């Protein structure tokens, strides 16, 4: 397969800003020709770093750096690539980038390097997804999971299922051509066993991937409770700076406040929500609706209660609300430095005074997050999960049809399952799907 375009693209491959090294990557048919304009050299040895003086198109000296030429097809994109490793910083990288564009390259779109690698059969969608997720990984566990995908373990898993389904489909379609002959009973048993085995395998990997998606995307934690129980104080103590306004006046937080926090090796998003109470004004009702949405979207709920006052109907409503969810819940009894009056029985409450220390909350979260680590194979994107779910559904439908001896309809369902499985690594229909997927990549990747 060849790239859809032969134009030469360029982008900064390192983060924009001050730094010791800045890398600019150029890929396409004219990469070497454009690079030679900038370095005044006739030849560059492929895959060798060459120290060169770099000039603008008007022959003004710009910088000195390492130039590496990767000759097609032995490059990330499968095209000629030239990388400029120069001194980092806002100005010099932008200057060189602009000169390369004036010399004939164009600025790459987000993810266009990876898209060209895919179109040139240098990577498949599994590896492309793993690369994108690796860049945005929210935990060390995610890096380990994605490294396994890049190594090819998920590809092997998908390919094994696909080949089993193709063999079965070929046998069944041959049988359809000879409709007067019934399938041997032992073959029917083998096909049913194969359908059940692969459907269960797909269901398992989907369940694991959904339950532990926070390892890759980052876990979301919602702090909930009635007004004035200390939610904002807990948030400030966790962040170690005054992010939220703390006041004795109920309803100070009327919106949700979102911040990122590192707990152990995990980066989490923590959400302080408006207090849940009755008889509120229109603005607070909006805030409460945000709270309910945060509870729905969160992976973990920190339910905060005031140890210094008796439990109210609001407290009971909050407990009922979160107990009806399928989230991991940690009950927090705050203000234990005051007289204890709270009279509801909470499950294993974390007892703290937010003004003194929240270390016990951090330790509890760290232990929980570490226990989410898994040695099981995982899917890293919504599209992969949807493909596996759809494939499993088709296999279950096929099993029912097989039992009714509806071989043509069974073959149709098997074809659906094969297509969904194949879409994980190499979708049949490209354009819009690929544009959407690769647009989420970084520039220069």
């Amino acid at each position: 397969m060849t790239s859809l375009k032969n134009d030469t693209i360029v982008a900064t491959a390192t983060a924009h800003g001050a730094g010791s090294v800045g890398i600019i990557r150029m890929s396409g048919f004219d990469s070497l020709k454009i690079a030679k304009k900038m370095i005044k050299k006739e030849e560059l040895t492929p895959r060798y770093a060459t120290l060169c003086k770099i000039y603008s198109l008007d022959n003004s000296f710009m910088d000195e750096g390492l130039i590496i030429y990767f000759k097609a097809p032995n490059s990330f994109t499968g095209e000629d690539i030239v990388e400029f490793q120069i001194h980092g910083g806002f100005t010099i990288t932008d200057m060189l980038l602009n000169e390369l564009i004036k010399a004939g390259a164009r600025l790459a779109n987000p993810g266009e390097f990876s898209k060209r690698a895919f179109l040139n059969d240098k990577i498949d969608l599994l590896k492309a997804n793993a690369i994108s997720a690796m860049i945005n990984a929210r935990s060390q566990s995610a890096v380990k999971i994605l490294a396994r995908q890049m190594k090819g373990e998920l590809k092997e898993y998908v390919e094994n299922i696909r080949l089993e389904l193709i063999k079965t489909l070929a046998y069944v379609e041959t049988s359809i051509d000879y409709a007067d002959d019934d399938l041997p009973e032992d073959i029917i048993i083998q096909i049913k066993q194969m359908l059940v085995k692969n459907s269960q395998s797909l269901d398992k990997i989907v369940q694991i991937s959904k339950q532990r998606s926070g390892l890759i995307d980052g876990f979301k934690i919602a702090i909930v409770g009635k007004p004035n129980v200390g939610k904002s104080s807990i948030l400030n103590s966790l962040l170690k700076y005054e992010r939220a306004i703390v006041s004795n006046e109920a309803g100070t937080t009327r919106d949700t406040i979102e911040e990122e926090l590192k707990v152990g090796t995990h980066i989490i998003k923590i959400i302080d929500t408006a207090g849940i109470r009755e008889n509120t004004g229109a603005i607070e009702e909006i805030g409460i609706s945000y709270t309910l949405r945060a509870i729905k979207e969160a992976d973990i709920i920190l339910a905060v209660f005031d140890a210094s006052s008796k439990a109210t109907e609001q407290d009971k409503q909050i407990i009922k609300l979160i107990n009806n969810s399928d989230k991991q819940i940690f009950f927090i009894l705050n203000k234990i430095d005051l007289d204890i009056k709270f009279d509801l029985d909470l499950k294993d409450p974390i007892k703290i005074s937010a003004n003194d220390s929240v270390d016990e909350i951090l330790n509890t979260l760290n232990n929980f997050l570490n226990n989410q680590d898994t040695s099981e194979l995982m899917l890293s994107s919504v599209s992969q999960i949807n493909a596996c779910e759809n494939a499993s559904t088709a296999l279950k439908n096929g099993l029912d049809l097989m039992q009714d001896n509806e071989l043509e309809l069974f073959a149709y369902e098997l074809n659906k399952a094969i297509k969904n499985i194949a879409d994980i690594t190499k979708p049949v229909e490209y354009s819009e799907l690929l544009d959407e997927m690769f647009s989420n990549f970084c520039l220069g990747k």
Side-chain angles (χ1 to χ4, degrees), residues 277-317:
R277 59 178 180 165
E278 296 177 347
N279 302 321
T280 60
I283 293 177
E284 288 190 62
E285 285 180 0
I286 294 172
I288 291 169
S289 72
Y290 289 166
T291 297
L292 297 175
R293 186 174 68 187
I295 291 173
K296 183 179 179 180
E297 294 177 355
D299 303 295
I300 303 167
I301 298 172
L302 302 182
V304 185
F305 301 90
D306 184 352
S308 67
S309 63
K310 288 188 176 182
T312 65
E313 284 302 313
Q314 293 165 275
D315 291 317
K316 294 176 184 177
Q317 288 173 7

Side-chain angles (χ1 to χ4, degrees), residues 117-317:
F118 172 77
L119 292 172
N120 286 325
D121 288 327
K122 304 300 288 187
I123 60 173
D124 58 19
L125 277 189
L126 279 176
K127 191 166 185 178
N129 268 314
I131 291 170
S132 179
M134 181 82 80
I135 293 169
N136 297 299
R138 313 304 284 171
S139 68
Q140 290 183 13
S141 303
V143 172
K144 294 175 183 177
I145 292 166
L146 295 165
R148 293 176 64 186
Q149 287 196 16
M150 293 181 70
K151 186 180 176 183
E153 289 186 33
L154 185 56
K155 181 178 181 179
E156 183 180 353
Y157 168 83
V158 168
E159 188 64 13
N160 286 340
I161 292 179
R162 190 182 73 86
L163 289 175
E164 280 198 356
L165 298 183
I166 288 174
K167 289 178 183 177
T168 302
L169 179 62
Y171 193 93
V172 170
E173 288 187 336
T174 301
S175 300
I176 292 172
D177 293 335
Y178 299 93
D180 293 338
D181 299 326
D182 292 332
L183 284 172
E185 184 62 30
D186 62 326
I187 295 297
I188 292 176
I189 292 173
Q190 288 179 33
I191 291 174
K192 288 179 179 179
Q193 289 175 342
M194 182 277 299
L195 293 174
V196 171
K197 179 191 74 172
N198 284 311
S199 178
Q200 289 176 344
S201 177
L202 290 168
D203 288 343
K204 180 181 178 181
I205 197 170
V206 166
Q207 182 183 22
I208 290 170
S209 302
K210 285 183 174 180
Q211 289 175 344
R212 289 172 164 75
S213 62
L215 289 172
I216 294 173
D217 301 327
F219 288 94
K220 292 183 180 179
I221 299 178
I223 307 176
V224 303
K226 69 183 182 184
N228 213 29
V229 294
K231 299 188 300 297
S232 295
S233 295
I234 290 173
L235 175 68
N236 290 339
S237 295
L238 289 171
L239 298 174
K240 301 190 186 309
Y241 75 97
E242 298 296 314
R243 173 62 178 86
I245 298 171
V246 177
S247 169
N248 289 327
E249 180 183 346
T252 305
T253 303
R254 297 190 173 187
D255 199 346
T256 58
I257 297 173
E258 299 186 10
E259 287 289 333
E260 288 193 342
L261 172 70
K262 187 168 185 181
V263 178
T265 63
H266 299 262
I267 298 175
I268 63 172
K269 179 179 284 185
I270 192 159
I271 307 168
D272 179 20
T273 63
I276 299 177
R277 59 178 180 165
E278 296 177 347
N279 302 321
T280 60
I283 293 177
E284 288 190 62
E285 285 180 0
I286 294 172
I288 291 169
S289 72
Y290 289 166
T291 297
L292 297 175
R293 186 174 68 187
I295 291 173
K296 183 179 179 180
E297 294 177 355
D299 303 295
I300 303 167
I301 298 172
L302 302 182
V304 185
F305 301 90
D306 184 352
S308 67
S309 63
K310 288 188 176 182
T312 65
E313 284 302 313
Q314 293 165 275
D315 291 317
K316 294 176 184 177
Q317 288 173 7

Side-chain angles (χ1 to χ4, degrees), residues 307 331-337 340 346 348-354 357-358 360-361:
F331 293 100
I332 298 173
L333 204 54
N334 189 28
K335 306 183 185 180
I336 60 167
D337 52 322
I340 306 298
L346 301 176
D348 301 322
I350 302 171
K351 298 178 180 180
I352 63 160
S353 170
S357 173
V358 292
E360 192 169 348
I361 296 177

